[in-house]
Amino acid sequence: MEFAELIKTPRVDGVVLHRPFLPLVEGTLCLTGHHLILSSRQDNTEELWLLHADIDFIEKRFVGSSGTIIVKCKDLRIIQLDIPGMEECLNIASSIEALSTLDSVSLMYPFFYRPMFEVIEDGWNLFLPEESFKDLESMTDEWRLSEVNRDFSICPSYPPLVVVPKDTDDDTLLKVASFRHGGRFPVLSYYHKKNGMVMMRAGQPLIGPNGRRCKEDEKLINATLRAGKRGYIIDTRATAVAQQAKARGGGFEQEANYPQWRRIHKTIERYSVLQDSLIKLVEACNDQSHSMDRWLSKLEASNWLSHIKEILTTACLAAQCIDREGATVLVHGTEGTDSTLQVTSLAQILLDPSCRTIRGFQALVEREWLQAGHPFQHRCAQSAYSSGKLHGEAPIFLLFLDCTWQILRQFPCSFEFNENFLVLLFEHAYATQFGTFLGNSAAERSATLKLPQKTVSLWSWVNRPQEMEGFVNPLYEPNSLVIWPSVAPQSLQLWEGVFLRWNRSSKCLDEAYEEMVHIIEYNKELQKKVNSLRRQLAQLETEGSPLHTP
Amino acid sequence: MENIRTPKVEHVRLIDRTNPRRCSVGTLYLSSTHSIFVENTEARRETWVLHSLVSSVERPPVSPSGNPLVIRCKNFQVFQLLIPQEKDCLDVQASLSRLSRPERYGELSCFSFNPNLNKEARDEAWSFIDLRGDYVRMGIPSNLWYITAANSEYRVCDTYPSDLYVPKSATPSVIVGSAKFRSRGRFPVLSYYHRDNSASICRSSQPLSGFSARSTEDEQMIQAIMKSNPASEFMYVVDTRPKLNAMANRAAGKGYENEDHYTNIKLQFIGIENIHVMRNSQQKIIDVGQVRSPSMGDFLWGLENSGWLKHIKAVMDAGVFIARAVAEEGISVLVHCSDGWDRTAQACSVASILLDPYYRTLKGFMVLIEKDWVAFGHKFSHRYGHLDSDPKEISPVMDQFLECVWQLMEQFPCAFEFNERFLLQLHTYVYSCQYGNFLANSQKERRDLRIQERTHSVWPHLWKDQAEYSNPLYRADHSQTQGVLRPVTTPYCFKFWKAMYNRLDQASAARQSPADCLSAVREETQQLEEELSTHQEVPRGTVHSPTRQENSFSQGEEDGGGAKEDDQSQ
């Protein structure tokens, strides 16, 4: 097997492992094709099993004849390995570097992973577009499921089945696709049951420097408007950026051609800026020597919370247009695969209570991120410790999870899942034994990589009752209302569960969480007891009553 | 009352701070103690503003819709009114300005406040907190410490309480000599005694050492304190000021202990800034909290620029240093700053909270404030501007202490019996003077004002509402409620106290709070437990009336459960 060539020294004895919050462990380090393993062969110490794919960056240091490797992981953890022997250390380091940056997706661990559990419900079949379309059909007949992209030829980043206005035929879609970036013609993202308004998403229109227009495009989106009503186009780029895009063949909908639409520009940054922001934020969080002034100024300079605020504000705007203004909304940026999806998915969390359930959130991730063609493989190839030239890496999905956490924090009773569930998704988007987040599009996942046949879905594992237990929010009370989070800076906080996770012990907070679970469980237990006693009492009374009433 | 020019103004508009386009119309009434706004609606909703809480009354330029009047309160609430007639607006402003700045104690609301208590109840309320009892709890008096009568009738130090605890070996002549060598006679006395290891926290003001002066009695006093902790070979003297400030004081004949004259002491400077720096810093953070729709950059820059969290961290660091010395090293600590009534009170009380779980209970926290703040002569009336007096004396010393406790609550959610609401309420009472506890500047002044006869005590009032103030996560047998708290003081552990400084965002108060949900659950649990025990008491086979209590069971879905739809604050 090819891995063997990359592993020059498969094992070293006497390696010392330093980890946050855990005592030192001395043991044997082993490298396998996919894991870095450290075992002390003692029963009571925990072993380290680290996926190579989880390693973001390594640093080497040498003192005398022994070396140290600092391993910086994509989940932001930093561990240290002290390795006796210069050569061993160099060999291990170069193997880790090679194994953690494998080019070929099909060599990734999910293709080799065999589940140690029985798959009861296959996650790959859980969220099929046909099924969710049935729900839509029960509410409205204005939309249809089109197979125009069945072989991914019209739009390589779209799934084979998309929902489009009923009266728009596939020929029209073909024309519209040629007018939208990446062939991403407007498709339905969300139907607001309460008032029948919809949210659509697309790629930017290819207006170009000469102001091209496409009547079919206009017709398609106008078909979604109610008579006499106007719609909103939310462009996630600043006006100037959208203007500049014209020179490169892109652009935005011209008022003259879309008179029934009002265009609003917001400023959600693009990937390189966001990646830079993540790097700065994590750097600030990891340096414990900062004074208060320096910490606050570094936090500000990272701009991470500004990005959170901007994304949430835009999502609130979209939700407001739909719910308050009763208008149809079309969201796009440039490609329609990043900021667009942040906005459409967050808006749904605000508008649709089902997205705040565990299954519903999974469905949302599946629909608005995986099926919608967010390039996970590219975006999550590197995390906060990346350096050098980037190739489209960006924490787009992490920002979405962070925004979700901010909403969850403000509405702690309205979500069926807890913070741990969001952290789990963050981890698995970056490194995983499951196939769910591999690849960049539905086409890659099903046609090229054949993930459903060759890998296990994250959902298959997470939806087992014994796993689910840890992700259920004990405070959850279904709340059918639209929720409006505050986006004021005072209301937004650093997501400690991710960014300070390895820097400060969460013991006391975890204890508080357990206490909360305990209080609620005890209450439920009592309720059960009381109810059964009440039933008994009622029974006794009915049995007893003939004695009293002759 | 002669200060009220207009007792009633009609057609006043109260503007909603979260949404300036919304307002309610009603009538404004001015009483001697309150301004009351009554809405002209069926509900006749009332908004009460206590005059003693008003910090400023501004009149922005006249707008076409009326004469605006902005009332800012000392607990950072802001009320914005629109008054139709300019004359009325001027009158209200003048009346409020006068009423909010009483010149004599007698004008304060605590002297007119009457909660309908008879004399016995009032006296009992004043004995609710028993400071001698707290020292007994700590094991004092003992064979090492005794209660001295030296300060009865406040003869030695008029800003100290009459009951003082000193080492057994400190004779009256040592006490008097030491007092002469300390600013305002505030000689070293016991604040907290750590039963586990005999280490103690004592407090004083700075010594009058200048560049070379010394006092044998003061040296003996320090020696006596060290000796009262038999196992130790030295003690810490914590000067909570920045070293530079302490040195500057030497030129004025004050300063800090000369390590050559005092044997076996280790001096430690902490670097908490003075009251003027703190006052300016708080003004900046209030401004940060009140900016309408700031950008994230504005907000974080404002937070940094205010320096507020840096100061909170300094106070916390002082407490952590002292607590560590006492609990981990077993070393006694003498704490002082300049006069020993501001920074010293902060440092001692934060350390006590960290050291002793009792002070983390509702009752214990009251005791702590009564002891380290009220009894030891924290100048409440000067610091919180109860009377129209020198604005340079005003400073948020207590605010910072309460915030340190809040920051600790964030790190140790199960450690405190009381909740954030309690801290906020206490903050309001410290400023508002509805009760006599925080009146004046020392025990002696309060005695001279006869506050126990003329005003009421706040503690039983707060105690009565303890359900409102309890932390649902608190459990007396939880690990966080045992032993010493060891907080992390890395800068990222300090947060902006939104509930305190951003009251503008009232909508957020209506949002879901996990603590309130849990409180509701716990309340329901209690009802269930009661019902369960009554069911079980019923002898088997006995049939009784089915009407019992069935209706008192709401399904626990009162508040907190469902989210209310409310406005996005932008």
Side-chain angles (χ1 to χ4, degrees):
Chain A
M1 186 158 109
E2 301 126 89
F3 296 125
E5 296 161 23
L6 299 172
I7 304 171
K8 291 179 207 145
T9 304
R11 62 174 276 179
V12 189
D13 290 325
V15 174
V16 178
L17 166 71
H18 309 249
R19 282 182 289 187
F21 319 122
L22 293 169
L24 296 187
V25 180
E26 189 182 328
T28 303
L29 179 74
C30 298
L31 286 188
T32 72
H34 294 107
H35 287 96
L36 182 156
I37 302 159
L38 190 122
S39 164
S40 66
R41 312 235 164 133
Q42 274 159 5
D43 295 338
N44 47 5
T45 44
E46 212 186 309
E47 298 189 349
L48 175 76
W49 280 74
L50 187 68
L51 266 180
H52 294 313
D54 193 15
I55 297 173
D56 206 23
F57 188 71
I58 61 167
E59 274 169 34
K60 300 176 286 255
R61 284 184 208 147
F62 295 96
V63 180
S65 65
S66 76
T68 289
I69 301 177
I70 313 267
V71 180
K72 300 185 170 183
C73 303
K74 289 177 185 163
D75 63 8
L76 310 183
R77 174 173 40 156
I78 297 178
I79 61 177
Q80 183 185 327
L81 298 164
D82 299 338
I83 299 172
M86 180 94 86
E87 197 190 329
E88 283 81 356
C89 184
L90 281 169
N91 284 347
I92 296 282
S94 71
S95 299
I96 295 177
E97 263 167 359
L99 290 164
S100 61
T101 51
L102 292 177
D103 282 334
S104 168
V105 181
S106 57
L107 290 178
M108 303 286 268
Y109 185 53
F111 289 94
F112 299 83
Y113 169 74
R114 290 294 156 260
M116 304 287 282
F117 58 89
E118 194 195 342
V119 175
I120 304 161
E121 207 180 12
D122 189 351
W124 290 114
N125 304 326
L126 268 185
F127 308 105
L128 300 174
E130 304 88 296
E131 294 299 316
S132 58
F133 184 71
K134 276 184 196 153
D135 292 341
L136 181 70
E137 259 183 327
S138 69
M139 300 184 274
T140 170
D141 60 357
E142 291 167 3
W143 298 83
R144 70 183 182 91
L145 206 52
S146 166
E147 292 182 18
V148 68
N149 198 41
R150 80 184 78 76
D151 54 1
F152 307 106
S153 59
I154 314 264
C155 173
S157 63
Y158 269 170
L161 293 171
V162 289
V163 181
V164 295
K166 186 153 215 169
D167 301 330
T168 310
D169 58 29
D170 285 358
D171 289 341
T172 311
L173 293 178
L174 274 167
K175 287 182 188 138
V176 177
S178 66
F179 180 66
R180 290 276 172 180
H181 193 117
R184 293 175 71 93
F185 53 87
V187 295
L188 181 77
S189 161
Y190 171 67
Y191 179 85
H192 196 43
K193 199 175 170 184
K194 193 169 131 192
N195 60 9
M197 291 301 134
V198 296
M199 178 161 60
M200 289 176 296
R201 52 178 160 74
Q204 66 176 343
L206 302 174
I207 310 282
N210 304 322
R212 236 179 101 207
R213 76 183 276 194
C214 170
K215 293 235 162 94
E216 289 80 3
D217 186 74
E218 294 157 25
K219 209 178 128 215
L220 188 160
I221 69 166
N222 287 341
T224 66
L225 292 175
R226 292 279 148 88
K229 280 267 197 178
R230 272 163 49 116
Y232 289 88
I233 294 172
I234 297 177
D235 190 323
T236 60
R237 303 163 296 179
T239 317
V241 178
Q243 282 285 1
Q244 285 158 14
K246 281 196 203 166
R248 290 190 301 273
F252 50 85
E253 295 79 357
Q254 308 281 13
E255 285 86 350
N257 303 335
Y258 298 84
Q260 289 162 281
W261 295 82
R262 202 185 136 204
R263 205 179 64 248
I264 303 172
H265 288 274
K266 301 299 279 183
T267 312
I268 299 181
E269 291 293 349
R270 301 259 293 160
Y271 34 82
S272 59
V273 176
L274 300 176
Q275 183 71 7
D276 189 44
S277 171
L278 174 68
I279 293 170
K280 282 187 183 156
L281 175 70
V282 171
E283 207 177 82
C285 291
N286 285 352
D287 190 339
Q288 317 231 354
S289 68
H290 287 326
S291 69
M292 184 63 79
D293 285 353
R294 186 133 179 85
W295 155 247
L296 288 171
S297 94
K298 286 220 151 192
L299 179 63
E300 185 205 337
S302 79
N303 269 328
W304 183 264
L305 289 169
S306 303
H307 299 313
I308 295 287
K309 179 166 157 42
E310 201 56 46
I311 295 165
L312 269 177
T313 306
T314 311
C316 286
L317 172 72
Q320 223 161 7
C321 291
I322 292 168
D323 187 64
R324 293 276 167 91
E325 308 267 321
T328 287
V329 171
L330 169 65
V331 185
H332 70 73
T334 303
E335 294 90 346
T337 53
D338 295 289
S339 57
T340 304
L341 305 182
Q342 289 172 330
V343 174
T344 56
S345 54
L346 288 166
Q348 292 180 51
I349 291 175
L350 306 182
L351 294 167
D352 183 358
S354 74
C355 292
R356 298 174 223 141
T357 64
I358 293 176
R359 285 295 170 108
F361 193 76
Q362 292 173 6
L364 182 74
V365 169
E366 190 73 37
R367 202 169 66 230
E368 288 299 301
W369 290 89
L370 293 162
Q371 295 288 326
H374 176 65
F376 277 96
Q377 192 82 38
H378 288 148
R379 297 287 179 260
C380 301
Q382 292 253 266
S383 171
Y385 303 117
S386 58
S387 60
K389 201 167 158 35
L390 293 168
H391 307 278
E393 287 86 350
I396 310 283
F397 188 62
L398 175 58
L399 279 160
F400 158 70
L401 295 174
D402 194 335
C403 289
T404 307
W405 177 79
Q406 305 281 352
I407 307 170
L408 166 65
R409 218 181 52 79
Q410 292 186 32
F411 296 90
C413 305
S414 299
F415 287 79
E416 192 189 3
F417 51 87
N418 61 19
E419 175 180 0
N420 296 342
F421 186 61
L422 297 173
V423 176
L424 175 93
L425 293 184
F426 159 59
E427 290 174 337
H428 283 275
Y430 279 85
T432 178
Q433 66 269 43
F434 302 108
T436 301
F437 291 110
L438 293 187
N440 289 305
S441 62
E444 276 188 38
R445 271 186 286 274
S446 59
T448 323
L449 298 169
K450 301 204 175 353
L451 295 179
Q453 291 82 40
K454 294 186 171 172
T455 71
V456 181
S457 162
L458 171 64
W459 314 132
S460 303
W461 174 74
V462 88
N463 285 334
R464 299 158 69 238
Q466 54 270 57
E467 300 304 332
M468 194 44 55
E469 213 172 279
F471 303 119
V472 175
N473 173 11
L475 291 171
Y476 179 57
E477 292 271 347
N479 164 14
S480 60
L481 299 173
V482 175
I483 54 178
W484 299 109
S486 160
V487 294
Q490 301 93 316
S491 306
L492 304 177
Q493 275 191 9
L494 178 70
W495 188 6
E496 296 180 31
V498 165
F499 297 110
L500 299 181
R501 183 178 178 195
W502 309 106
N503 299 328
R504 55 114 185 88
S505 160
S506 60
K507 183 174 159 278
C508 293
L509 302 179
D510 295 344
E511 283 171 0
Y513 186 82
E514 278 161 29
E515 192 63 24
M516 179 170 89
V517 172
H518 170 78
I519 291 170
I520 291 168
E521 275 176 0
Y522 178 59
N523 174 273
K524 283 185 182 149
E525 200 181 298
L526 281 187
Q527 254 173 9
K528 230 184 264 169
K529 269 191 202 161
V530 167
N531 284 340
S532 104
L533 278 174
R534 281 184 190 161
R535 265 196 306 276
Q536 281 182 24
L537 195 65
Q539 216 168 11
L540 283 171
E541 269 155 11
T542 46
E543 282 167 14
S545 54
L547 296 176
H548 289 280
T549 46
Chain B
M1 207 170 141
E2 76 276 17
N3 295 326
I4 303 170
R5 298 200 190 171
T6 313
K8 178 178 171 188
V9 187
E10 285 180 338
H11 309 297
V12 173
R13 266 173 288 174
L14 177 68
I15 292 159
D16 186 334
R17 295 278 298 173
T18 57
N19 183 353
R21 278 168 299 181
R22 259 194 311 215
C23 65
S24 41
V25 182
T27 307
L28 181 71
Y29 298 92
L30 264 64
S31 82
S32 59
T33 54
H34 290 84
S35 292
I36 306 139
F37 177 83
V38 184
E39 251 177 42
N40 285 351
T41 55
E42 205 133 302
R44 312 226 12 109
R45 213 164 58 92
E46 297 174 2
T47 307
W48 289 60
V49 182
L50 192 65
H51 291 150
S52 55
L53 261 186
V54 172
S55 65
S56 75
V57 192
E58 294 154 28
R59 215 158 44 82
V62 180
S63 73
S65 45
N67 299 273
L69 194 69
V70 178
I71 304 172
R72 292 180 194 278
C73 293
K74 292 171 181 170
N75 63 357
F76 317 123
Q77 281 182 309
V78 181
F79 299 93
Q80 223 176 323
L81 300 171
L82 268 178
I83 297 172
Q85 300 297 322
E86 190 176 10
K87 184 183 170 299
D88 288 336
C89 186
L90 281 165
D91 282 350
V92 170
Q93 187 195 23
S95 312
L96 272 179
S97 302
R98 175 66 190 85
L99 289 165
S100 64
R101 270 187 235 112
E103 285 156 2
R104 291 172 297 107
Y105 282 122
E107 291 173 34
L108 285 167
S109 61
C110 56
F111 290 105
S112 52
F113 177 62
N114 183 4
N116 280 327
L117 284 184
N118 60 27
K119 189 176 173 308
E120 286 84 64
R122 181 190 290 209
D123 292 346
E124 205 183 300
W126 278 111
S127 55
F128 183 74
I129 300 294
D130 171 18
L131 290 189
R132 284 195 186 189
D134 190 46
Y135 282 94
V136 168
R137 188 189 64 83
M138 293 190 274
I140 304 289
S142 67
N143 55 348
L144 294 167
W145 297 87
Y146 78 113
I147 179 165
T148 169
N151 203 38
S152 68
E153 290 306 308
Y154 312 102
R155 278 184 307 230
V156 178
C157 173
D158 62 358
T159 58
Y160 263 175
S162 54
D163 282 2
L164 289 170
Y165 296 81
V166 291
K168 265 266 166 77
S169 55
T171 58
S173 66
V174 167
I175 292 173
V176 171
S178 172
K180 282 192 179 134
F181 191 65
R182 294 273 167 180
S183 269
R184 298 173 195 269
R186 293 171 68 93
F187 60 97
V189 294
L190 183 69
S191 162
Y192 173 74
Y193 179 77
H194 201 55
R195 244 186 147 147
D196 301 354
N197 60 9
S198 305
S200 63
I201 303 174
C202 291
R203 53 184 290 173
S204 70
S205 61
Q206 62 187 341
L208 304 175
S209 48
F211 291 104
S212 58
R214 61 190 291 185
S215 153
T216 325
E217 290 90 347
D218 194 61
E219 288 159 25
Q220 283 170 348
M221 180 62 117
I222 305 291
Q223 193 66 14
I225 291 171
M226 197 201 85
K227 287 268 166 65
S228 301
N229 181 6
S232 70
E233 280 163 3
F234 73 96
M235 69 178 284
Y236 286 110
V237 174
V238 169
D239 190 326
T240 56
R241 300 168 293 184
K243 189 166 185 186
L244 219 59
N245 301 20
M247 284 166 75
N249 264 294
R250 294 174 78 170
K254 299 168 188 169
Y256 50 90
E257 291 78 359
N258 183 336
E259 279 172 285
D260 296 338
H261 299 159
Y262 294 82
T263 39
N264 305 323
I265 65 161
K266 282 190 186 169
L267 254 176
Q268 175 75 36
F269 293 92
I270 299 276
I272 305 177
E273 297 289 348
N274 66 28
I275 57 167
H276 312 294
V277 173
M278 300 308 194
R279 178 177 57 247
N280 294 333
S281 171
Q282 193 190 39
Q283 190 50 54
K284 287 185 190 157
I285 202 167
I286 295 169
D287 295 345
V288 169
Q290 295 187 345
V291 176
R292 188 164 298 143
S293 29
S295 73
M296 187 54 82
D298 293 343
F299 173 71
L300 289 174
W301 185 84
L303 200 57
E304 181 196 339
N305 184 50
S306 75
W308 183 254
L309 290 178
K310 181 171 66 188
H311 300 315
I312 296 295
K313 174 171 154 55
V315 175
M316 189 77 96
D317 281 333
V320 169
F321 178 87
I322 299 165
R324 193 179 294 151
V326 168
E328 269 149 50
E329 298 180 62
I331 300 297
S332 294
V333 185
L334 171 67
V335 187
H336 71 71
C337 46
S338 299
D339 291 315
W341 50 42
D342 293 317
R343 287 171 274 202
T344 300
Q346 290 176 329
C348 290
S349 50
V350 170
S352 300
I353 286 246
L354 297 176
L355 285 165
D356 194 336
Y358 175 64
Y359 296 128
R360 308 197 285 261
T361 64
L362 186 61
K363 182 79 180 278
F365 192 65
M366 295 174 176
V367 168
L368 183 68
I369 286 177
E370 194 65 37
K371 182 179 70 169
D372 268 329
W373 295 81
V374 177
F376 275 118
H378 176 62
K379 303 202 294 173
F380 281 93
S381 279
H382 284 161
R383 295 293 175 260
Y384 311 112
H386 292 159
L387 298 182
D388 190 17
S389 56
D390 184 2
K392 286 210 170 62
E393 280 283 325
I394 294 175
S395 189
V397 185
M398 186 88 184
D399 303 39
Q400 291 182 318
F401 166 63
L402 295 176
E403 178 158 341
C404 282
V405 177
W406 178 78
Q407 301 280 1
L408 287 173
M409 284 176 170
E410 289 286 294
Q411 278 195 41
F412 303 97
C414 307
F416 293 85
E417 193 186 13
F418 48 91
N419 59 16
E420 179 183 48
R421 201 176 293 137
F422 180 67
L423 297 178
L424 294 171
Q425 189 58 58
L426 199 56
H427 177 263
T428 298
Y429 283 136
V430 163
Y431 280 88
S432 74
C433 266
Q434 261 176 297
Y435 293 86
N437 304 65
F438 307 123
L439 199 67
N441 298 303
S442 66
Q443 200 176 67
K444 178 172 182 293
E445 283 184 27
R446 277 186 295 276
R447 186 200 59 175
D448 295 345
L449 285 165
R450 295 187 290 118
I451 59 147
Q452 302 212 355
E453 294 154 48
R454 300 168 66 202
T455 74
H456 294 269
S457 169
V458 73
W459 304 124
H461 164 73
L462 288 167
W463 183 255
K464 178 173 63 49
D465 293 337
Q466 53 180 296
E468 176 98 351
Y469 301 126
S470 71
N471 170 15
L473 292 172
Y474 179 83
R475 181 155 55 76
D477 55 353
H478 192 280
S479 64
Q480 287 178 31
T481 59
Q482 317 295 314
V484 180
L485 293 184
R486 293 179 179 81
V488 182
T489 61
T490 320
Y492 52 58
C493 293
F494 292 84
K495 297 175 191 162
F496 174 75
W497 193 1
K498 189 165 171 250
M500 177 68 98
Y501 292 107
N502 196 35
R503 304 212 178 175
L504 189 151
D505 192 13
Q506 291 294 340
S508 67
R511 271 186 203 113
Q512 300 168 344
S513 133
D516 288 349
C517 294
L518 278 182
S519 293
V521 168
R522 284 193 66 156
E523 208 173 295
E524 193 206 27
T525 301
Q526 215 176 348
Q527 288 174 10
L528 288 169
E529 276 171 340
E530 279 162 25
E531 178 170 354
L532 209 54
S533 66
T534 51
H535 277 319
Q536 280 160 351
E537 272 163 26
V538 177
R540 281 199 79 95
T542 315
V543 180
H544 72 176
S545 146
T547 54
R548 204 200 74 81
Q549 278 207 346
E550 221 55 42
N551 298 327
S552 72
F553 259 84
S554 62
Q555 300 294 306
E557 281 171 10
E558 291 145 43
D559 291 318
K564 276 118 215 127
E565 218 175 325
D566 54 39
D567 270 311
Q568 206 186 316
S569 69
Q570 281 212 325

